[in-house]
Each structure stands twice: as C-alpha cells, then as structure tokens.
Amino acid sequence: MKDFEHLVFDMDQGVATLTFHRPKALNALNAALLAEFSQALRDIEDDESIRVLVLTGAGDKAFVAGADITELATFNPLQARKFSRLGHQAIGALQDLPIPVIAAVNGYALGGGCEIALACDFVYASENAQFGLPEINLGIIPGFGGTQRLPRLIGKNMAKELIFTGKMIPASEAREIGLVNRVLASDSLLAETAKTARSIAQKGKVSLRAAKHAVNTGTDADLATGCAVEVDAFALCMASEDAKEGTGAFLDKRKPSFDGNRDA
Ligand code: CAA
C-alpha cells in the first residue's frame, strides 16, 4: 500500500481500515483525495490478504462532509463533468470491490460522503452521525450517484424529500429508513464495526464475493434475472475449496477454516 496524503491505511486480522483524513476540511473530497481513494481501492483489490474493508473519517466530527466546495465553486460545466465522473469512477469501484465494505460513519456524511456510504455494503453509524444530500442548498444536485443509489435503497419518495430539502437527518432516523444498520455510541463505533468485520473475514472469500455479486446484480435487475444470477453464483461456489471445507466441517462436526480461493 502506497503512502497517501489524505488517507490512512490500517490492517488487522484481514480487516483493512481506510480513514479519510483532511480533518481541517471535515474530510471533504477534493480531486487529490478522490484520486488517492481510487488508487487505494485498486491496491486493496490486488491484496489477497484483505478480506473486509472498513471506511471511516478522521476526527470525531465527520465521516466526509461532501465534495470540497472551495474547489467545486470554481468549476465550469466541463470541469464539473470531469469531477463528477472521477467521483463516479471511484464510488463505482468501491461498490464493485469483490470484498465486503462497511462504512463506520462517525459524524457528518453529507453529499459525496453520504454517496460513499451508499456504495458500501452496509453502514454502522455513531449516535452523533448526520446524513444528508445538501447539494440543493448550493444550487446543484448530488454528483456522485446520490440521485440513483439513495432511491434504490430507501425508496423514491423518501429520497426525493431528502434531495429536495437538503436537510440532514440524525443516525436514528437514518436507521429507521434503512440507510443505517446499527447506531452505536461514538466510543464503540470502531470496535463494534471491527467485531462484525472480523466475523465476516472468517467466512469464505468465494462465497462472500458470490453473495455480494448476486445481491448487487439482482437489486438492479428483474426478479427472474436476479434469480438466474443467484443460480450461477451458487453453482460457482460449489467449485471452491471453501465449499468443500464448509460442508466437510459441518459433516465432521468441526469449525470450518476458510483459506479462501478467489479463482473459482
Ligand atoms: N468543502 C470544503 N470545506 C468544507 C466542507 C466542504 N464540503 N465542509 C466543511 N468544510 C470546512 C469549512 O469550510 C471549515 O473550514 P474553515 O475552518 O477553514 O472555515 C471547516 O471545514 C469546519 O467546518 P464548519 O466551520 O462549517 O463546521 P460546522 O460544525 O459549523 O458545520 C457542516 C459543519 C454542517 C458539515 C458544514 O461544514 C457544512 O455544511 N459543510 C458543507 C456540507 C455540504 O454542503 N456538502 C455537500 C458538498 S457538494 C457535494 O458533495 C457534491 C457531490 O455530490 C459530489
């Protein structure tokens, strides 16, 4: 893993943690941070020892407070297009990462920050977390997938209310509408996220990858297509060492030990 200026990388027991680190700007995403984020995701995908990724923000105030408005304010439409595509590429790569990704949202997740959380497999949040797509207050709209991923997750009308008003909602409300899985005290957010991440890291890589692929592909397709994807993904799992180990361990009445086999 390269050294980054705006990201901190940690690794423990197969769980990588990437921390957005621009604390003076509440970890806002400028072009340099986005480029580093894309590079870090490529490095993480190439590292076979990483089984789960956790994303969080530096400090106790923000996960990510959105795109960097100082930078954004200077864009002409062509520059805005380039920036939006850069964000879409990074966040698309995040969503397509073959390992599970958990967002540990430790404060503001606004605009691009909320859009990053939306591309993670699920979100844990601290009690002080706030979510929102406030772009309308800047005279613009979400540019990193918010108008697409938010309605798919929480429903069209709920998403429109958040996008049209630009209001922030607390973690408790974000949980009620299905944006957040668990709300935790600030001082236990990272430990609880790590506990879940470590438990997932013990599972088989092939089956995790297949499950993520089936859910993600299926939610954007009709039921018949989604079910067909599941059939193939299920069959593929049976070719893996993990499936032999998992079923064998059950029949031998022992705990399975999944080494993982990404090639199957
Ligand atoms: N871009 C650049 N700088 C930002 C920033 C952002 N998105 N968010 C916060 N900062 C900076 C502030 O300018 C401030 O810097 P200075 O100390 O140099 O003045 C510092 O971070 C601390 O912020 P505040 O003083 O504003 O802190 P606060 O506690 O009073 O308010 C906040 C916190 C409610 C998050 C407020 O900072 C805020 O509203 N930030 C902007 C949120 C936003 O609109 N995000 C969407 C951006 S557009 C986008 O993301 C488009 C897209 O889809 C890609």
Side-chain angles (χ1 to χ4, degrees), residues 24-26 28 61 65-69 108 110-112 115 134-135 142-144:
K24 284 188 182 147
L26 301 184
K61 214 173 151 184
D68 189 311
I69 301 169
Y108 294 111
L110 302 175
E115 290 166 306
E135 287 87 346
F144 293 170

Side-chain angles (χ1 to χ4, degrees), residues 131-161:
F131 293 80
L133 292 174
E135 287 87 346
I136 208 83
N137 299 325
L138 302 168
I140 57 173
I141 66 166
F144 293 170
T147 63
Q148 303 307 307
R149 289 194 180 88
L150 189 63
R152 280 170 171 75
L153 185 65
I154 67 169
K156 196 167 69 168
N157 291 11
M158 282 293 207
K160 281 181 182 161
E161 187 180 346

Side-chain angles (χ1 to χ4, degrees), residues 27 30 46 77-78 142 158 194 201 211 218 237-238 247 254 264:
N27 308 321
N30 58 10
D46 287 346
L78 285 178
M158 282 293 207
C237 286
M238 291 311 293
T247 53
R254 62 176 171 80

Side-chain angles (χ1 to χ4, degrees), residues 32-122:
L33 199 166
L34 275 177
E36 286 191 353
F37 185 44
S38 289
Q39 182 60 51
L41 293 174
R42 284 193 290 273
D43 293 351
I44 287 166
E45 186 164 358
D46 287 346
D47 187 336
E48 292 289 327
S49 67
I50 300 175
R51 294 188 160 216
V52 179
L53 172 64
V54 172
L55 296 182
T56 195
D60 53 9
K61 214 173 151 184
F63 175 70
V64 170
D68 189 311
I69 301 169
T70 321
E71 202 174 80
L72 190 145
T74 66
F75 288 159
N76 64 32
L78 285 178
Q79 290 167 322
R81 191 166 199 281
K82 195 172 167 197
F83 184 68
S84 178
R85 285 176 63 86
L86 191 65
H88 270 278
Q89 278 157 7
I91 290 176
L94 172 66
Q95 180 170 295
D96 291 343
L97 214 58
I99 56 169
V101 184
I102 310 174
V105 174
N106 56 318
Y108 294 111
L110 302 175
C114 187
E115 290 166 306
I116 286 176
L118 286 168
C120 293
D121 293 307
F122 56 88

Side-chain angles (χ1 to χ4, degrees), residues 10-16 49-52 194 197-199 201-202:
D10 277 307
M11 172 80 170
D12 181 36
Q13 300 172 60
V15 177
S49 67
I50 300 175
R51 294 188 160 216
V52 179
R198 280 197 300 272
S199 120
Q202 302 298 312

Side-chain angles (χ1 to χ4, degrees), residues 115-208:
E115 290 166 306
I116 286 176
L118 286 168
C120 293
D121 293 307
F122 56 88
V123 179
Y124 282 4
S126 60
E127 281 164 345
N128 69 325
Q130 300 267 342
F131 293 80
L133 292 174
E135 287 87 346
I136 208 83
N137 299 325
L138 302 168
I140 57 173
I141 66 166
F144 293 170
T147 63
Q148 303 307 307
R149 289 194 180 88
L150 189 63
R152 280 170 171 75
L153 185 65
I154 67 169
K156 196 167 69 168
N157 291 11
M158 282 293 207
K160 281 181 182 161
E161 187 180 346
L162 284 177
I163 293 166
F164 294 172
T165 61
K167 71 177 177 183
M168 287 190 246
I169 55 167
S172 55
E173 199 177 329
R175 185 174 183 280
E176 275 166 30
I177 62 175
L179 186 52
V180 162
N181 281 18
R182 281 180 76 189
V183 181
L184 296 147
S186 299
D187 57 5
S188 57
L189 173 69
L190 286 181
E192 285 298 317
T193 308
K195 207 189 276 179
T196 299
R198 280 197 300 272
S199 120
I200 295 173
Q202 302 298 312
K203 315 296 180 197
K205 263 189 195 170
V206 174
S207 45
L208 284 172

